[in-house]
Amino acid sequence: HVQLVESGGGAVQAGGSLNLSCVVSGHTYGCACVGWFSEAPGKEREGVARITSGGTPLYRDPKATRFFISRDNTRNTMTLQINGLQPGDTAKYYCAAQPAPGYCDIVETDFDYWGQGTQVTVS
């Protein structure tokens, strides 16, 4: 059974940075596509970025250079770095995993397992 646990959220001032981490357990991590989603107050959850087992990233907004996704297969962890935080980034951030090999997009239906989320509040 795949389990994901996020950490690293918190309250930060605009302009700051955060590193959100996700630890994945219960599966051969190297086969998984993993990603980050955000759910802002009053809005639907949407994809932020995903990264394949081979380390290829995909961002919802290719021009949003404030976001950087990475993974460490040896430690079963994934990280989302957010720089230049803006109040509009306030949301609950979820990590997700898709164990099956194959292409995955940054859409909820491409991911089978989810963490509980970590709150990011920017003021």
Side-chain angles (χ1 to χ4, degrees):
H1 180 64
V2 179
Q3 292 185 314
L4 300 91
V5 178
E6 304 97 333
S7 62
V12 296
Q13 292 187 341
S17 298
L18 278 177
N19 287 318
L20 306 182
S21 295
C22 176
V23 178
V24 184
S25 61
H27 193 269
T28 305
Y29 188 61
C31 295
C33 184
V34 291
W36 286 96
F37 290 74
S38 66
E39 186 173 342
K43 296 184 179 181
E44 294 185 353
R45 188 158 54 184
E46 58 182 0
V48 177
R50 71 92 169 114
I51 188 166
T52 67
S53 58
T56 301
L58 178 67
Y59 298 91
R60 179 183 71 220
D61 181 1
K63 298 180 181 178
T65 57
R66 300 186 298 113
F67 297 87
F68 181 72
I69 189 171
S70 61
R71 65 188 286 172
D72 184 341
N73 290 341
T74 64
R75 298 183 178 184
N76 292 348
T77 60
M78 172 180 62
T79 300
L80 179 69
Q81 181 179 8
I82 312 175
N83 300 312
L85 281 157
Q86 304 168 357
D89 295 324
T90 294
K92 196 165 188 179
Y93 287 77
Y94 298 86
C95 67
Q98 170 51 265
Y103 180 80
C104 63
D105 208 333
I106 322 172
V107 294
E108 291 187 65
T109 52
D110 279 2
F111 293 86
D112 289 341
Y113 297 94
W114 295 82
Q116 294 300 307
T118 184
Q119 179 68 37
V120 173
T121 303
V122 185
S123 60

